[in-house]
Amino acid sequence: MKIDKRDWIFIAMVVVVLGIFVWISGKEKTTTVPRDAMHQVSYDAAFKNAPGPDASIFKRAFFKPDKKGAEVYCEPCHREKEVPFPPNHPPKNRCLFCHKLKK
Ligand code: HEC
Ligand code: HEC
């Protein structure tokens, strides 16, 4: 296959788009969910179906934590413990879209 000038422009565009993508995703700064005893219940809920270390590589690669299952605990406990939300906190349904779980 011959790569002509139009192809190179296309390739350059793909590279630029990918570059912007990587750049944006590196900007994530929202605080992560602390990995402490307090938050263990959320981690347990998220990873309750996690494949074990000897499961196949595909099972591990495609595993998604049960975020909805973990989120049910967030707000009630934060309310009970009176953890303050910053005054201009965005809408709070789906905590884990913004506050990532630690690995
Ligand atoms: C749309 C995105 C978004 C969602 C959804 C969201 N948050 Fe936040 N949260 C933020 C941002 C942005 C901040 C302020 C900046 C930061 O903490 O990095 C913040 C701050 C916080 C803080 C204070 C952190 C600190 O360092 O003082 C807590 C606690 C918190 N959020 C808990 C929650 C809980 C619990 C939920 C779900 C009920 C939730 N958030 C849902 C974006 C979000
Ligand atoms: C059993 C109680 C409990 C549950 C469940 C819980 N939290 Fe928290 N969370 C706390 C308390 C207490 C603090 C403040 C002290 C601390 O950092 O541990 C806190 C602090 C935080 C902070 C701020 C951390 C920081 O560095 O300032 C974030 C973000 C947060 N929680 C998010 C979440 C999210 C998202 C969930 C659900 C997936 C969740 N929490 C579930 C009790 C809880």
Side-chain angles (χ1 to χ4, degrees), residues 75 88-95 98-99:
E75 209 177 349
N88 49 2
H89 192 278
K92 294 198 283 290
N93 49 336
R94 304 308 317 268
C95 314
C98 307
H99 300 282

Side-chain angles (χ1 to χ4, degrees), residues 48-102:
K48 68 176 184 300
N49 292 323
D54 45 61
S56 81
I57 184 112
F58 289 108
K59 274 205 177 133
R60 280 185 287 145
F62 290 107
F63 171 72
K64 290 258 179 296
D66 181 8
K67 295 194 178 170
K68 282 195 173 153
E71 277 162 350
V72 297
Y73 301 104
C74 312
E75 209 177 349
C77 178
H78 276 221
R79 232 182 258 284
E80 188 193 304
K81 307 271 181 209
E82 299 178 352
V83 184
F85 287 104
N88 49 2
H89 192 278
K92 294 198 283 290
N93 49 336
R94 304 308 317 268
C95 314
L96 295 176
F97 273 160
C98 307
H99 300 282
K100 302 290 183 211
L101 294 168
K102 292 197 168 90

Side-chain angles (χ1 to χ4, degrees), residues 18-32 97-98 100:
L18 282 179
I20 291 173
F21 191 73
V22 169
W23 182 60
I24 292 173
S25 54
K27 294 223 147 190
E28 185 131 44
K29 284 202 221 68
T30 314
T31 38
T32 50
F97 273 160
C98 307
K100 302 290 183 211

Side-chain angles (χ1 to χ4, degrees), residues 33-54:
V33 181
R35 183 120 217 192
D36 54 16
M38 195 61 88
H39 291 88
Q40 192 57 45
V41 55
S42 318
Y43 280 92
D44 286 349
F47 294 106
K48 68 176 184 300
N49 292 323
D54 45 61

